[in-house]
Structures are given as structure tokens and as C-alpha cells.
């Protein structure tokens, strides 16, 4: 099947579907200028996640932890949602998609106007105390200040390796996957558990959109090779 045929097929499925769920990863935001994790220019090619993105790092090497997340938060402030994020918001308003399940922490879906979003790996836009959970403002984190309530260390509200996913979001994701009759997976390597299990939990049709298909995705009903923004724009022409 040609690329155009695949895009037309997906648009048809979307038009016919009564419940469509979109599952996204870092590849959805690379065209906004945010690096992903496992591509050749990905963050985990430059730094070992164990040294910066774990509770151990937070507790035992706070300087490095703080430097890594400050760098990401400052960079994020210079980026914005792209046309693909805006299309997802438009499709939600038109009733073409029901929910976004995302591993991304950038908040770009909501910034682009989507309301039905589960942030499965949390958000880098907000900060809390590691010890008591009290919310804090970003400035205090940037200044390496401690929690005003208990003096604990501040951290962004992202999920670190070894931590559980936010329960509400995970329960919501499971429900939406079970009820979906179409699941569109965009820009994720599907290497990280448990989110990588979600596409197997639907009885609906499954679609995988990625800029590079470095391994076969036989389990999907439809695979589309292309960049997220471009593919979403092309789908939009058929909706
Ligand atoms: P990865 O970096 O593992 O995968 C990103 C995927 O997006 C790759 O398969 C790329 O080929 C693809 N990609 C990149 N740019 C794209 C584009 N413009 N259009 C389409 N596809 C593109 O990122 P995730 O799968 O999101 O977790 O990683 C999952 C989790 O691992 C992250 O949430 C993060 C990380 O460790 C935590 O930090 C807990």
C-alpha cells in the first residue's frame, strides 16, 4: 500500500470510529524542537538516564538531577506546540478523537487546546516537594530552594524511573484503551513499560505512526512511516 493509501485508510477509519484514542511519545514533540530519548540525537544517547532520571539521582546527586531538569525546563520554555498538536485539539472538538494518552511531559496538548489528556509520565511544568508532596513554584526549584512546608528537596512532577505512574491517569488510560475502537500510536519507540502495553489492551484497530521503522510492527493493523506533523496534516485533508 502506498503512503497516500495508508493515510486515506486511517482517515476513513477515523471517520467511521465511534471512539478513537491517540497514544503519543517524544516523537510528537521533536518538530517543536524538543529532543526525544532514543533517536541518534536523543537525550539518552548523551546522558545515562540512571544518573539523572531516578529517585536515587534525586536523593544522592541532587546537583546533577537539578542541572538536567533545569536544562530541560529552560529549553521547553523556548518551544511551542506545532500544527500537529493543534490538529489533535481540533479533532477533539470535532468529536474525531476522544482522548490523548501521552508519555510526554511538556503540556503541549493542553497548550494547543486539547482537554481530554492523560499525562502518564507526569508534567515538567509543575514542581512539588519530594518529601511531603507540597506544590512549589518553578522559581524555587530553579533557585535550588527547599520546600517551604518541610524543607525537603523540590522536583518536577515527572515520573522518574522506578516510580509508579500517576494512578488516575493510568486507570483512565486503561479504560479508554478497552473502550476504543481505534488507537493511533504516534512517535514512541514503545520501549518503556507499562505504557508500551497499552496498544495490546484494545480490541479496536491499531495504527503506528513513526518517522523511522527500525523494527517491524507486525502487531499493528496499519503502519505509517512519516513525521508526525506532516502525517497529521495529510490525514486532516481527508477528514
Ligand atoms: P523515544 O525516544 O524512546 O522514542 C521516540 C520515537 O519517536 C522514536 O521511535 C522515533 O523514531 C520517533 N520520532 C522522532 N521524531 C519523530 C517525528 N517527528 N515524527 C514521528 N516519529 C518521530 O521516546 P518515547 O517512546 O516517548 O520516560 O519514550 C518513552 C519514555 O522514555 C519517555 O516518556 C521518558 C523516556 O525515558 C521517562 O522519563 C519516565
Amino acid at each position: 500500500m502506498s503512503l497516500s493509501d495508508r493515510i486515506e485508510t486511517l482517515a476513513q477509519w477515523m471517520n467511521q470510529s465511534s471512539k478513537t484514542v491517540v497514544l503519543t511519545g517524544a516523537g510528537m514533540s521533536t518538530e517543536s524542537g524538543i529532543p526525544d530519548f532514543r533517536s541518534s540525537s536523543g537525550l539518552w544517547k548523551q546522558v545515562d538516564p540512571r544518573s539523572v532520571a531516578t529517585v536515587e539521582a534525586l536523593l544522592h546527586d541532587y546537583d546533577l538531577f537539578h542541572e538536567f531538569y533545569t536544562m530541560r525546563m529552560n529549553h521547553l520554555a523556548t518551544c511551542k506546540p506545532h500544527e500537529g498538536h493543534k490538529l489533535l485539539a481540533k479533532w477533539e472538538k470535532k468529536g474525531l478523537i476522544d482522548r490523548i494518552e501521552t508519555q510526554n511531559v511538556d503540556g503541549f496538548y493542553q497548550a494547543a487546546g486539547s482537554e481530554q489528556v492523560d499525562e502518564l509520565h507526569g508534567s515538567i511544568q509543575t514542581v512539588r516537594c519530594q518529601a511531603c508532596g507540597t506544590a512549589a513554584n518553578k522559581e524555587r526549584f530553579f533557585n535550588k530552594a527547599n520546600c517551604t512546608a518541610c524543607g525537603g528537596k523540590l522536583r518536577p512532577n515527572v515520573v522518574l524511573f522506578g516510580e509508579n505512574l500517576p494512578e488516575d491517569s493510568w486507570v483512565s488510560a486503561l479504560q479508554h484503551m478497552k473502550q476504543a475502537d481505534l488507537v493511533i500510536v504516534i512517535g514512541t519507540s514503545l520501549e518503556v513499560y507499562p505504557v508500551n502495553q497499552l496498544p495490546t489492551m484494545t480490541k479496536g484497530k491499531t495504527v503506528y505512526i513513526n518517522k523511522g521503522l527500525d523494527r517491524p510492527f507486525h502487531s499493528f493493523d496499519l503502519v505509517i512511516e512519516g513525521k508526525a506533523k506532516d502525517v497529521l496534516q495529510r490525514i486532516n485533508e481527508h477528514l
Side-chain angles (χ1 to χ4, degrees):
M1 216 195 280
S2 70
L3 180 60
S4 312
D5 288 345
R6 286 168 194 268
I7 283 172
E8 251 180 78
T9 301
L10 174 52
Q12 256 174 31
W13 288 357
M14 286 177 71
N15 284 325
Q16 289 159 2
S17 164
S18 53
K19 186 169 171 75
T20 298
V21 175
V22 175
L23 168 64
T24 67
M28 183 67 201
S29 292
T30 53
E31 290 161 280
S32 286
I34 301 171
D36 65 12
F37 297 95
R38 296 177 182 79
S39 292
S40 50
S41 54
L43 284 178
W44 298 157
K45 292 281 152 64
Q46 294 152 38
V47 56
D48 182 346
R50 283 168 301 187
S51 67
V52 289
T54 57
V55 179
E56 289 69 39
L58 194 174
L59 296 177
H60 304 303
D61 198 350
Y62 189 69
D63 285 349
L64 192 59
F65 173 90
H66 185 270
E67 187 188 334
F68 178 70
Y69 282 101
T70 300
M71 178 273 289
R72 286 181 61 189
M73 289 157 89
N74 282 334
H75 179 63
L76 179 60
T78 68
C79 301
K80 55 183 194 316
H82 59 61
E83 202 51 41
H85 294 98
K86 291 180 192 156
L87 284 174
L88 293 180
K90 178 177 140 185
W91 295 347
E92 178 188 300
K93 287 194 178 57
K94 287 175 78 177
L96 284 163
I97 60 173
D98 291 79
R99 194 87 179 169
I100 297 172
E101 307 298 342
T102 189
Q103 297 165 93
N104 299 348
V105 294
D106 51 38
F108 279 5
Y109 304 97
Q110 297 91 326
S114 290
E115 290 177 6
Q116 300 300 317
V117 184
D118 289 315
E119 291 182 310
L120 297 166
H121 287 171
S123 169
I124 202 168
Q125 302 277 15
T126 55
V127 170
R128 72 170 191 268
C129 172
Q130 166 66 9
C132 74
T134 300
N137 69 37
K138 279 199 258 187
E139 287 313 313
R140 288 190 66 80
F141 175 74
F142 290 143
N143 293 333
K144 268 197 197 168
N146 289 334
C147 172
T148 49
C150 78
K153 289 180 171 129
L154 299 182
R155 56 167 289 175
N157 268 316
V158 297
V159 174
L160 300 173
F161 282 102
E163 290 184 318
N164 290 332
L165 271 48
E167 194 176 347
D168 290 358
S169 304
W170 180 244
V171 169
S172 168
L174 291 176
Q175 260 170 11
H176 283 95
M177 284 292 154
K178 279 189 190 132
Q179 293 161 357
D181 47 30
L182 177 61
V183 173
I184 306 171
V185 179
I186 308 173
T188 172
S189 61
L190 290 176
E191 289 209 12
V192 174
Y193 181 88
V195 174
N196 61 1
Q197 301 303 302
L198 289 175
T200 68
M201 293 178 183
T202 179
K203 294 195 185 81
K205 292 194 174 77
T206 54
V207 181
Y208 185 79
I209 301 172
N210 199 294
K211 73 163 185 192
L213 303 174
D214 44 11
R215 58 191 163 115
F217 285 90
H218 297 306
S219 53
F220 285 85
D221 296 305
L222 183 68
V223 171
I224 298 177
E225 183 167 11
K227 287 192 169 184
K229 181 170 74 168
D230 178 48
V231 172
L232 293 176
Q233 283 173 322
R234 291 184 64 178
I235 295 165
N236 192 50
E237 292 164 15
H238 300 275
L239 294 173

